[in-house]
């Protein structure tokens, strides 16, 4: 048995997890900083880094004790080292290096987005690969062709705002709290998803790239008018806001589902996996699942606790990297961009 300690500090969640053989999650402790950032309407990098410093020791201790695990039982330490807020990443990376050195355990640097891509597979009895992976988070919207946990090809990505970023910005326009995704989902439940026809930006019939900045602007104009006169939001009733939230969510889900099906058609695979914070959205989960069912495709969404940021997915992918021979040195760095960044085709090795 191989036991991995995972550490995640790329954004506003401090997390540590102990996972056996990449699939048995013995503990997954997440300390969320949402309350610290809410009054600013988004994540403040400096506050995030400081909170990681304050929380990380206790979170790692709790992950070990919840797993009834001693440092000696750990075979390797996996840590998110890209992409993310560099100040925040550095706290996890420095802690992981320190533990690696003091415990004399190997170190593995893990790409956060590739870990999200693996998150739906963590506790499946048989691996879903090859699959198309739709990964939708606060900073990324990506389509991948995944043939194995560490064999992954970028098919398409956002050219501007990420899906989660669009949820967060539209929530701000509608006067809803941060993080915007859960708030829009909650408020939209009582709204009519057909009330407002927001654009479905496809960027061409064959494109697997995404663009969500246009829909954000469309919501802004819808609320405030083209002259962006102030007081637009005050004129909207609670019912109007619910309709806008539901209609916005439906437009985003439509684009995500259509592009995922296009990726399936282009690659010829017969399975789809869904991960990332926006994968917690029940409209997206349900509509992608029913589309896959209609087309007889296998569908696996990450469990809710593995959608938003968590260290279980870091330890799980870290296991496969470790098993494949990856060993990082103590000069491992933190990077703001990931293995795949920006548009399809640009790859940093
Ligand atoms: O993966 P994640 O926790 O962090 C990043 O790696 O970015 O994703 C956070 C994003 C935020 O933009 C948040 O608004 C969105 O996921 N999110 C949701 C929901 N829950 C979280 N978006 C839509 N519906 C949700 N239920
Ligand atoms: Zn994430």
């Amino acid at each position: 048995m191989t036991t991995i300690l995972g550490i995640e500090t790329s954004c506003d969640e401090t997390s540590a997890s102990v996972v056996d053989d990449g699939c048995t999650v013995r503990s997954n402790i997440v300390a969320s900083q949402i309350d610290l950032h809410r009054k600013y309407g988004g994540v403040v990098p400096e506050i995030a880094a400081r909170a990681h410093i304050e929380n990380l020791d206790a979170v790692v201790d709790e992950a070990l004790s919840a797993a009834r695990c001693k440092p000696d039982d750990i075979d390797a330490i996996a840590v998110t080292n890209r992409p993310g807020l560099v100040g925040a990443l550095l706290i996890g990376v420095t802690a992981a290096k320190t533990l690696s050195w003091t415990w004399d355990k190997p170190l593995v640097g893990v790409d956060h987005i590739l870990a999200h891509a693996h998150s739906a597979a963590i506790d499946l009895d048989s691996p879903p690969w090859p699959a198309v992976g739709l990964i939708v988070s606060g900073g990324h919207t990506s389509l991948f062709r995944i043939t194995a946990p560490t064999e992954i090809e970028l098919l398409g990505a956002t050219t501007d705002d990420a899906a989660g970023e669009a949820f967060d910005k539209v929530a701000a326009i509608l006067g809803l709290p941060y993080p915007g995704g859960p708030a829009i989902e909650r408020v939209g439940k009582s709204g009519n998803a057909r009330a407002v026809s927001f654009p479905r930006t496809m960027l061409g019939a064959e494109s697997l790239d995404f663009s969500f900045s246009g829909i954000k602007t469309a919501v802004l104009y819808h609320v405030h008018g083209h002259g962006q006169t102030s007081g637009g939001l005050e004129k909207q009733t609670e019912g109007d806001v619910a309709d806008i939230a539901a209609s916005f969510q439906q437009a985003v889900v439509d684009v995500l589902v259509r592009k995922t099906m296009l990726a399936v058609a282009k690659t010829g695979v017969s399975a789809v996996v869904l991960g990332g914070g926006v994968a917690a959205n029940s409209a997206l989960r349900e509509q992608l699942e029913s589309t896959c069912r209609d087309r007889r495709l296998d569908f696996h969404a990450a469990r809710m606790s593995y959608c938003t940021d968590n260290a279980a997915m870091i330890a799980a992918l870290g296991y496969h990297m470790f098993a494949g021979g990856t060993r990082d040195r103590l000069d491992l760095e933190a990077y703001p961009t990931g293995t795949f960044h920006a548009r399809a085709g640009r790859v940093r090795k």
Side-chain angles (χ1 to χ4, degrees):
M1 188 176 68
T2 304
T3 303
I4 307 285
L5 170 67
I7 294 177
E8 155 64 40
T9 63
S10 68
C11 191
D12 60 345
E13 260 97 30
T14 314
S15 181
S17 167
V18 175
V19 176
D20 289 340
D21 294 333
C23 57
T24 308
V25 179
R26 290 168 59 179
S27 65
N28 182 34
I29 307 299
V30 182
S32 173
Q33 305 174 4
I34 284 174
D35 291 342
L36 291 179
H37 300 285
R38 185 170 285 127
K39 67 176 166 196
Y40 303 102
V43 178
V44 182
E46 180 67 13
I47 293 176
R50 284 171 193 272
H52 287 311
I53 295 175
E54 282 166 18
N55 294 335
L56 190 54
D57 270 1
V59 167
V60 169
D61 282 350
E62 207 180 325
L64 290 174
S65 65
R68 297 180 189 281
C69 191
K70 297 183 299 302
D72 253 4
D73 305 327
I74 299 291
D75 293 295
I77 298 162
V79 62
T80 310
N81 77 318
R82 62 191 190 278
L85 304 170
V86 165
L89 285 167
L90 275 173
I91 310 306
V93 168
T94 306
K97 286 179 185 176
T98 309
L99 294 178
S100 160
W101 189 71
T102 48
W103 294 350
D104 195 20
K105 303 289 178 186
L107 178 69
V108 177
V110 176
D111 183 305
H112 179 89
I113 298 303
L114 303 193
H116 272 304
H118 185 67
S119 60
I122 293 176
D123 34 27
L124 296 181
D125 291 336
S126 58
W129 325 121
V132 161
L134 172 66
I135 307 310
V136 269
S137 73
H140 293 76
T141 305
S142 312
L143 277 166
F144 294 109
R145 181 184 205 281
I146 310 168
T147 23
T150 56
E151 278 174 47
I152 184 158
E153 177 196 348
L154 183 67
L155 302 172
T158 186
T159 55
D160 42 52
D161 292 356
E165 190 179 355
F167 270 94
D168 294 335
K169 289 176 175 172
V170 165
I173 294 169
L174 296 178
L176 301 173
Y178 178 85
I184 289 198
E185 175 164 11
R186 193 177 58 248
V187 168
K189 282 217 156 68
S190 58
N192 173 4
R194 285 180 229 258
V196 190
S197 167
F198 288 122
R200 272 78 170 153
T201 306
M202 298 303 286
L203 299 175
E206 289 299 307
S207 172
L208 292 175
D209 285 335
F210 300 89
S211 167
F212 292 109
S213 65
I215 187 168
K216 167 195 68 188
T217 311
V219 174
L220 187 74
Y221 285 161
H222 182 84
V223 172
H224 292 286
H226 280 263
Q228 282 207 49
T229 47
S230 59
L233 189 56
E234 283 77 64
K235 292 189 199 119
Q236 311 286 337
T237 65
E238 237 176 71
D240 293 337
V241 171
D243 284 349
I244 297 168
S247 302
F248 160 77
Q249 176 176 280
Q250 189 55 52
V252 173
V253 169
D254 280 351
V255 172
L256 293 173
V257 171
R258 274 191 226 163
K259 295 258 178 193
T260 306
M261 290 307 119
L262 182 58
V264 166
K266 283 186 179 231
T267 55
V269 303
S270 55
V272 171
V273 296
L274 173 66
V278 183
N281 185 279
S282 45
L284 175 60
R285 294 171 86 89
E286 283 158 19
Q287 292 175 43
L288 195 52
E289 178 165 29
S290 76
T291 307
C292 286
R293 200 183 314 119
D294 290 348
R295 299 180 187 214
R296 296 181 197 286
L297 300 167
D298 258 0
F299 174 72
H300 303 283
R303 216 187 240 252
M304 289 301 242
S305 52
Y306 305 152
C307 285
T308 44
D309 291 344
N310 67 91
M313 66 181 189
I314 305 301
L317 180 57
Y319 162 79
H320 291 282
M321 295 171 70
F322 180 67
T326 301
R327 305 287 184 272
D328 281 306
R329 301 185 333 177
L330 291 179
D331 61 359
L332 178 73
E333 289 188 48
Y335 299 99
T337 54
T339 308
F340 300 100
H341 64 107
R343 306 261 219 109
R346 282 204 254 153
V347 179
R348 181 173 61 69
K349 284 284 178 199

